Structure formats: C-alpha cells, structure tokens
Amino acid sequence: MSSSRPVILIVEDEPGIADTLQYALRTEGFEPRWCAGGEAALTQADDAALVILDVGLPDLNGFEVFKRLRAREPTLPILFLTARADEIDRVVGLELGADDYVTKPFSPRELVARVRTVLRRSAAPAAAAAAPSTAFALDDGKRAIHYYGQPLDLSRYEYGLLKTLIGRPGFVFTRERLLSLVWDDDTDSLDRTVDAHVKTLRAKLKTVAPSLEPIRTHRGAGYALAEDLPATLSGP
Ligand code: CA
C-alpha cells in the first residue's frame, strides 16, 4: 500500500462539475487534478491512477481522448461521464472498453464509489471477478444458476438476464443493452419488458435470501449486480 494519495485526473469542461468532483475526491482521500480540455488531458495523465473523462469536451471529444490515452497506457482505468443517451449507448456498447461510466447528473458520492470500485478491480481483477461467484454459481451447459447453493427455477429470459449481470458485477447495463443481449428479437420488446423480468427474478432471489438485493437499480441508467454480496448467508 502506498501512502501517497492516488491522482485522479478529471477531464471536464464545466467548472461547476469539476469543482464538485474535486471536492468529493479530496474529501475521500484522493488527489484530484483538473483539466478542462482533451489536449491538456493527454499531457497530464502520466501519473494518474484513474481518469474521469467527460465525453463532450470543447477541443477533442472524450472518445478520441480515450483512444489516445489507451494507446499509450493500455491499463489506465478510465471512467466516462456521459450526458446523452447516444453517448451512453456508445460507452455501454463497449466498442471502446471503458472501465465504467456515470451519467449526468450524478451524485458525487456515487461517483467516488465507482472510482473506488474501478481502482479495486484494476488492482486485482481476478479477485474481483471471483468475489460474486460465492453467491452465484453458473452452469451454462445446464442453463442453471445456483444462488447460495440453492438452484433457481428461472424462465429463459430471467436466466439470460441474471447470467448477463453476473458476468460483469457492478457494471450498469441499460435496459436497451439488456434487451439486445438477452432477447433474440428485441424489436417487439420494450424497456418495461426488462423491468417486468427483473421484478420476477428479484422475487425468486428473495425466496433464497430475503434480506439481500443482488440486483441494483440505477435510476435513469439501468441495472447492475451488487458487488457487496456476502460470501455466505448468515442465519436469520
Ligand atoms: Ca462537457
């Protein structure tokens, strides 16, 4: 463990947002550094532990900055700030391979939590990936999922949803993304189709562990698997 504070580079052209972020990060033990444009970011990222990158920048757009940063530093964690649905789709589509994203408006507390998660994941990817498998066990050959040792009786779409969420703990999947990943033909399906299946899935998970909520709702964004599930169920 290093005693120095991790440098978090904030690339954001709106000073109000940058101020809020810097304050929240400093309070939580990070060393924030702010630049208001993409060109400046490219010269200031060298010792950063993580980059928070706005997509809409005045000079280079965030996607271009991302590509150039990653070309130089393939393992540098990058978290996007997005404001519009089309930006979110592109980030979530992960043609870019971003570590995570947060949609505006966001709460500083949520963003700092995401920063911690991404840093933890990038420091120990194997451990982070192994953690949720203690709660869930997937047997894709049998299309079966066990939850704390209990087999779940899942419909086809419930299975697809849960498998998708388990595959990337903490990552927020939009409803559109889930539709395209889980439903073969998403033309007839609607966002509320996803919501309805999440609801029945949650009810089935509750029968095993009534006090846990493994599927988190991220308002305005989508759903993610909780990363803080206990390894075993404690008694009632
Ligand atoms: Ca902007």
Side-chain angles (χ1 to χ4, degrees), residues 12-14 54 56-57 104:
E12 167 61 68
D13 56 311
E14 290 171 61
D54 184 33
L57 294 167
K104 296 177 182 178

Side-chain angles (χ1 to χ4, degrees), residues 20-126:
T20 305
L21 274 176
Q22 288 188 90
Y23 178 79
L25 287 165
R26 200 172 286 125
T27 305
E28 296 290 326
F30 296 100
E31 180 69 45
R33 181 185 300 155
W34 173 39
C35 37
E39 294 284 5
L42 294 171
T43 67
Q44 293 190 48
D46 283 349
D47 61 341
L50 180 144
V51 178
I52 297 172
L53 181 57
D54 184 33
V55 174
L57 294 167
D59 50 357
L60 295 172
N61 80 41
F63 297 125
E64 184 60 32
V65 176
F66 178 93
K67 281 183 201 151
R68 294 203 200 170
L69 285 174
R70 271 290 163 83
R72 286 194 335 217
E73 291 254 8
T75 59
L76 176 65
I78 299 176
L79 193 155
F80 272 114
L81 288 179
T82 62
R84 301 197 319 259
D86 57 327
E87 295 174 353
I88 296 167
D89 284 349
R90 200 163 158 201
V91 173
V92 174
L94 289 183
E95 60 199 85
L96 290 166
D99 292 283
D100 204 349
Y101 70 96
V102 170
T103 53
K104 296 177 182 178
F106 55 86
S107 85
R109 180 188 292 254
E110 183 202 351
L111 189 125
V112 172
R114 295 286 189 89
V115 166
R116 284 195 193 291
T117 301
V118 170
L119 285 174
R120 201 171 56 228
R121 201 187 288 150
S122 67

